[in-house]
Amino acid sequence: MNSPEGMVPAAVQRPMGTAGAAIALLDAEGAVAGWTQAAQRLVGYAAAEVVGRPAAVILPSAKDRAKAYAFARRCRVSGGWSGVAAVRHRDGRRLDVSLRVSPLSGPDGRTQWLVSATGMAAVTSWAVNGSGLESLLTRAPIGIIVRDLELRCIWVNETLEFQDGIPREQRLGRRLTETLPGAEAEAAEGVMRRVLNSGTPVVDHDFRAWLPLDRRRERAFSASFFRLEDADGHVLGMCGMWVDVTGRERARERLAILSEASARIGSSLDVMRTGQELADLAVPLLADLVTVDLAEAVPLGEEPLARLGRMGKHIPAFRRAGLASIHQEAPESLWAQGEAVFVPRTSPYTRVLSSGKSHLEPVLDTSPGTWLDQDPARAQKIHEYGMHSMMVVPIHARGAVLGVAVFVRTEDPVPFEQDDLLLAEELVTRAALCLDNARRYTRERAAALALQCNLLPHHLTGGSAVEVASRYLPADSHYGAGGDWFDVIPLSGARVALVIGDVVGHGINAAATMGRLRTAVHTLADMDLPPDELLAHLDDLAIRLIEEDADAKDKEGIAAAVLGATCLYAVYDPVTRRCTMARAGHPPPAIVDPHGQVTFPDLPAGTPLGLGMVPFESVEVELPEASLLALYTDGLVETRDQDIDAGMHRLATVLAQPGLPLEDLCSAVVDTLPSPASCDDVTLLLARTRTLGPEQVVSWELPSDPAVVSSARSLAVRQLITWGLQDLAATTELIVSELVTNAIRHATGPIRLRLIRHQLLTCEVSDTSDSLPRVRHARITDERGRGLFLVAQMSHRRGARYTTGGKIVWAEQELTPVVPGGDDPVGLRNKLDRTTSRIERSSP
């Protein structure tokens, strides 16, 4: 031993980074084996005076020396000691020092002791009794480790040992890579070397490792490193502070997963897609295999299972809505997405459904006698793919069960634990709301489509006036059913009304509003109003509906439907070949002449219904036979990427094919749409005009003289014989007699009688009066008041309408005669004669 101080390893010449700390090395018997200059400065003994002698030589008294041997035995048992102790200075003074005794492995394998002492004068006043220093270093809430210039551990507190489970004897004298081999440790040592070389501290370095404390789960640490120097700036080593942030990292990962769930789950209102999104998100973030099984009624939008409770013997039918696996095509699953799923009567699935509580099985029990005995196919898959841990979570929203989500681990060896179940439940809860919203949307949309389908005409016929064809394409599923409607309404005199409309918005409210307006149009059309007057009455109705909805919203607090609509109404007369039309904010119709020339008539636009701003205007145009009239909604000509002018040009190009059948022409127009999925309903109504020739229409001018009634009857009968309709002669004579008589009695000026033979026989009598007749119910003693009542009984349909110069009273008969009340032609003739006699007696 040339130099006693040389006996002290270089790694601990300046321990713990405390300038002036005294270091002594004791052998297994407690004799001094090494002595530093700092120790000589502290107690006054030179190395030559103490090396080889028992350490008790520096204790103050013989009593203290006796205690030292007992203290040494306790150190051997506990592996070290730290605290405050008293030593004797060479000059006899008593010194209180902060003492740290740590074991070291000697060259011969025997235990040596490293003793570090600091004079209490160098310790702050708050640590004079040693408790502050012990709390700061030994019991600090964070792990503290001191390494020498070779990055070997020379001191570590108890907290770090508790955090990572590595005993002190496995750490002292070793580098991090020797304690925890791996890429993470090598990276951390690289950081520590840079700190030693540069002196720049590193704060919050991420470190992950599988530790002996818990081999089932990776632990996360936040490490900070700084260099230790003495008062002269000499580098002594480095200190590392370690904080276990596993819980914080798990919380951060959980928040990240939930945040991603908010973005990825519920991207559509499709039940099956939402179930698949839940499964895709959870693999592999949480599980290796995830299945989402929903009650079969849920994808259809129907009511789900009953509220949570005992299910008895009934096992609900399930369908797989979501399936995801770490393996391609999910071979672990017995059922693919969309297929029906078998649920054993006694299984975790049924227990979860009946209790409403999740099931956590960290270690999946596959032993004989379990529920898997009822499902051997599933048991085989479990054994084949090593499914060892499972969670079953109920999917329920608003008190109703929608299904179950199952999470399974195969490749990941770590079993599920309570934190995993909490995360799975949170994911399923978020998905359940999206699933229930999608289910409710599916139900509402199905109801809206059914309502709209029932409100639209199922069979269109234009009678003798027009040939018709139509197309209706509901909006894309994202938008739901809209409020488009169209109709072809037969009018008197072989005329026909063509109507098309569009209610703003989508869903069941729009469909219901459309139904109300369509019914109103039918009622107004039966009144034979001109197009501009009809739209004015429809506008008044829309205003009343808006006011009613506003009152309902104010009183009941419910969201009223936003009512707004456009409409186009046209009346075509095949006798005159004239078409009268008006529009309320609707796109103009397209007119195609027999040669294929397409025009859009200059028809005043009007305002949408419900505004009540400006009066509507009618325009009358003459249409040659075989002209084409196209009515449509804006969904056909206006898209997101194309304005309405481009759409109308596209429509005109397709319509310019006069010889094409209407059904084929409808298909050709729809096929030109820019995309198959539109954000608005697409409606198209095509009408090709027909004309009634002179052989089907006959009229006579009659003077306003009662004597002309008999002549009118004779003219009508002769025309019926010419048409081969002599079976209708008796009823027609009665109708003509009553209508002409009323015109003579209640009007002035000339009278016109017109017969029209089309699909029906129409008898019209026009006069200059603007007073419409009404049916009276005469008493037995009355001699008058039965005329129009008899007409109503004899005819298929009757009515009256205003004209420019007066009115027209009309009655229609089916071409196959029907004798009401059992009367034969002779009885009708007698009624006719009696009626004529009353007319002649009442005339002046």
Side-chain angles (χ1 to χ4, degrees):
M1 183 171 61
N2 297 327
S3 171
E5 188 167 333
M7 294 295 293
V8 181
V12 294
Q13 284 289 328
R14 295 178 175 87
M16 296 186 297
T18 304
I23 300 296
L25 185 65
L26 307 182
D27 61 17
E29 285 72 26
V32 178
W35 194 259
T36 64
Q37 292 181 355
Q40 180 177 344
R41 289 193 297 270
L42 179 64
V43 297
Y45 290 98
E49 295 177 282
V50 294
V51 171
R53 300 178 61 188
V57 71
I58 61 173
L59 295 179
S61 63
K63 182 179 179 182
D64 292 330
R65 294 188 189 100
K67 292 180 179 180
Y69 294 108
F71 169 72
R73 286 194 298 270
R74 288 198 303 272
C75 285
R76 289 189 182 95
V77 175
S78 61
W81 181 85
S82 62
V84 178
V87 297
R88 180 172 59 84
H89 193 271
R90 190 174 185 278
D91 59 11
R93 289 183 292 115
R94 176 188 175 94
L95 295 175
D96 290 327
V97 296
S98 175
L99 197 67
R100 175 78 179 184
V101 182
S102 303
L104 288 177
S105 179
D108 55 357
R110 302 183 67 187
T111 301
Q112 295 181 324
W113 299 93
L114 181 70
V115 181
S116 170
T118 304
M120 293 305 293
V123 181
T124 55
S125 58
W126 60 269
V128 170
N129 60 1
S131 60
L133 183 62
E134 181 179 6
S135 176
L136 174 63
L137 299 178
T138 306
R139 297 189 178 91
I142 61 175
I144 302 176
I145 187 170
V146 179
R147 297 185 180 275
D148 61 15
L149 297 176
E150 300 298 327
L151 298 182
R152 292 175 298 204
C153 173
I154 59 174
W155 186 86
V156 63
N157 70 348
E158 296 175 356
T159 303
L160 186 57
E161 181 180 350
F162 175 77
Q163 287 178 346
D164 57 22
I166 301 175
R168 180 184 289 108
E169 57 269 15
Q170 294 182 16
R171 197 190 316 259
L172 291 173
R174 295 184 175 90
R175 302 201 320 266
L176 179 61
T177 51
E178 297 172 332
T179 307
L180 290 171
E184 288 278 350
E186 293 176 0
E189 280 198 355
V191 172
M192 287 187 278
R193 289 192 183 93
R194 289 196 297 273
V195 170
L196 278 178
N197 295 331
S198 65
T200 303
V202 171
V203 179
D204 201 16
H205 171 76
D206 291 333
F207 181 83
R208 293 175 176 269
W210 297 83
L211 303 175
L213 185 64
D214 185 2
R215 289 289 185 185
R216 299 180 305 173
R217 182 174 292 276
E218 187 180 47
R219 304 295 293 271
F221 295 89
S222 173
S224 298
F225 308 109
F226 59 94
R227 193 169 70 181
L228 300 174
E229 301 175 354
D230 62 12
D232 298 326
H234 297 112
V235 179
L236 305 175
M238 64 149 305
C239 180
M241 296 184 176
W242 296 72
V243 179
D244 190 340
V245 294
T246 304
R248 184 185 72 185
E249 289 301 310
R250 290 182 186 175
R252 182 184 300 173
E253 292 172 356
R254 178 176 177 177
L255 289 175
I257 293 174
L258 294 177
S259 177
E260 190 172 357
S262 300
R264 291 176 52 181
I265 299 178
S267 62
S268 70
L269 289 173
D270 182 83
V271 173
M272 301 296 284
R273 181 174 176 181
T274 302
Q276 186 60 44
E277 288 171 345
L278 171 60
D280 290 338
L281 176 68
V283 175
L285 295 177
L286 181 59
D288 298 330
L289 171 68
V290 174
T291 61
V292 180
D293 300 330
L294 301 178
E296 282 195 326
V298 174
L300 302 177
E302 300 173 1
E303 287 298 324
L305 305 179
R307 289 182 176 273
L308 297 178
R310 299 187 62 84
M311 296 187 304
K313 298 181 179 180
H314 174 67
I315 303 298
F318 287 91
R319 191 162 299 277
R320 181 137 297 170
L323 173 63
S325 169
I326 59 174
H327 300 112
Q328 190 174 3
E329 299 181 359
E332 312 98 308
S333 175
L334 291 168
W335 301 279
Q337 188 189 29
E339 294 182 346
V341 176
F342 168 71
V343 177
R345 184 173 301 277
T346 303
S347 68
Y349 307 100
T350 53
R351 288 196 296 272
V352 165
L353 290 171
S354 60
S355 67
K357 298 179 181 179
S358 300
H359 172 79
L360 171 62
E361 197 166 349
V363 179
L364 187 57
D365 186 4
T366 59
S367 59
T370 64
W371 64 276
L372 289 172
D373 292 345
Q374 307 174 42
D375 195 350
R378 198 190 305 255
Q380 181 181 354
K381 288 286 186 179
I382 290 175
H383 289 292
E384 181 179 355
Y385 290 95
M387 304 180 192
H388 62 87
S389 189
M390 179 179 70
M391 298 184 295
V392 182
V393 181
I395 306 174
H396 52 84
R398 300 178 177 93
V401 179
L402 305 179
V404 292
V406 181
F407 303 81
V408 178
R409 279 185 175 163
T410 56
E411 301 294 332
D412 188 346
V414 180
F416 287 120
E417 56 186 32
Q418 194 64 32
D419 285 346
D420 297 317
L421 181 61
L422 293 176
L423 177 57
E425 289 176 335
E426 183 68 24
L427 288 176
V428 170
T429 298
R430 298 192 179 202
L433 294 176
C434 297
L435 286 168
D436 194 54
N437 289 338
R439 178 191 64 82
R440 289 169 177 264
Y441 168 78
T442 300
R443 181 180 62 182
E444 179 176 325
R445 182 173 183 272
L449 288 175
L451 175 62
Q452 189 177 43
C453 182
N454 289 330
L455 291 175
L456 291 176
H458 296 281
H459 176 66
L460 291 178
T461 176
S464 301
V466 292
E467 175 193 0
V468 292
S470 65
R471 286 292 185 277
Y472 170 68
L473 302 179
D476 177 62
S477 60
H478 177 73
Y479 296 93
D484 286 12
W485 92 91
F486 60 95
D487 231 326
V488 179
I489 306 172
L491 302 177
S492 62
R495 298 170 305 133
V496 67
L498 305 173
V499 58
I500 192 165
D502 185 1
V503 174
V504 175
H506 297 87
I508 196 167
N509 290 334
T513 301
M514 175 269 285
R516 299 168 81 175
L517 293 180
R518 179 173 179 262
T519 302
V521 169
H522 266 269
T523 302
L524 296 172
D526 285 342
M527 296 172 63
D528 252 329
L529 297 176
D532 54 343
E533 292 186 28
L534 183 142
L535 290 181
H537 285 287
L538 201 61
D539 187 50
D540 292 339
L541 172 64
I543 293 174
R544 289 196 299 272
L545 293 178
I546 292 175
E547 293 172 351
E548 291 174 3
D549 285 348
D551 291 341
K553 181 178 180 180
D554 293 339
K555 294 178 182 180
E556 302 177 18
I558 60 174
V562 178
L563 179 62
T566 63
C567 184
L568 171 64
Y569 186 81
V571 175
Y572 173 68
D573 188 341
V575 177
T576 63
R577 303 197 313 269
R578 303 194 70 81
C579 182
T580 306
M581 51 191 138
R583 59 180 177 139
H586 202 83
I591 299 177
V592 187
D593 66 19
H595 305 291
Q597 183 68 34
V598 182
T599 58
F600 294 92
D602 186 13
L603 184 62
T607 59
L609 300 174
L611 298 181
M613 297 177 62
V614 297
F616 303 100
E617 298 181 44
S618 292
V619 171
E620 188 176 75
V621 296
E622 185 173 347
L623 301 178
E625 187 175 3
S627 296
L628 182 67
L629 192 63
L631 282 64
Y632 52 91
T633 56
D634 54 3
L636 180 68
V637 295
E638 190 174 18
T639 64
R640 292 177 177 177
D641 305 325
Q642 201 176 66
D643 60 24
I644 192 169
D645 291 335
M648 293 173 67
H649 176 73
R650 170 173 48 82
L651 174 63
T653 302
V654 181
L655 291 177
Q657 306 177 65
L660 204 62
L662 289 189
E663 290 293 336
D664 295 342
L665 192 56
C666 281
S667 299
V669 171
V670 171
D671 289 342
T672 62
L673 289 173
S675 62
S678 172
C679 62
D680 197 3
D681 289 0
V682 173
T683 305
L684 174 66
L685 176 62
L686 297 182
R688 182 166 286 154
T689 63
R690 296 168 175 154
T691 302
L692 296 181
E695 70 281 359
Q696 295 177 275
V697 182
V698 62
S699 64
W700 301 275
E701 290 283 348
L702 302 175
S704 181
D705 183 353
V708 81
V709 175
S710 177
S711 300
R713 292 200 306 265
S714 299
L715 292 172
V717 170
R718 282 197 298 270
Q719 186 61 47
L720 292 181
I721 294 174
T722 303
W723 283 341
L725 300 176
Q726 52 269 28
D727 290 341
L728 297 177
T731 56
T732 303
E733 280 187 279
L734 174 61
I735 292 171
V736 168
S737 180
E738 291 295 338
L739 297 186
V740 172
T741 299
N742 279 339
I744 293 172
R745 178 174 294 155
H746 300 291
T748 60
I751 298 171
R752 176 177 292 274
L753 170 64
R754 185 169 72 165
L755 298 179
I756 305 173
R757 179 178 61 85
H758 52 109
Q759 293 176 334
L760 299 169
L761 175 64
T762 302
C763 176
E764 296 180 345
V765 175
S766 60
D767 58 50
T768 58
S769 172
D770 59 0
S771 176
L772 294 180
R774 61 185 182 88
V775 177
R776 294 174 56 190
H777 298 278
R779 292 170 296 183
I780 298 177
T781 57
D782 292 341
E783 292 188 358
R784 300 180 182 179
R786 297 181 177 88
L788 289 181
F789 179 77
L790 288 175
V791 171
Q793 294 295 309
M794 298 299 108
S795 61
H796 170 69
R797 201 166 61 122
R798 58 157 297 276
R801 66 178 184 272
Y802 288 109
T803 62
T804 304
K807 69 175 182 296
I808 293 177
V809 182
W810 54 269
E812 292 177 345
Q813 301 177 75
E814 295 179 344
L815 297 185
T816 301
V818 177
V819 181
D823 286 337
D824 57 13
V826 176
L828 292 176
R829 171 68 66 180
N830 293 335
K831 288 183 179 179
L832 178 61
D833 291 339
R834 289 195 298 271
T835 301
T836 304
S837 298
R838 287 197 304 271
I839 295 173
E840 293 173 349
R841 288 197 303 271
S842 63
S843 300

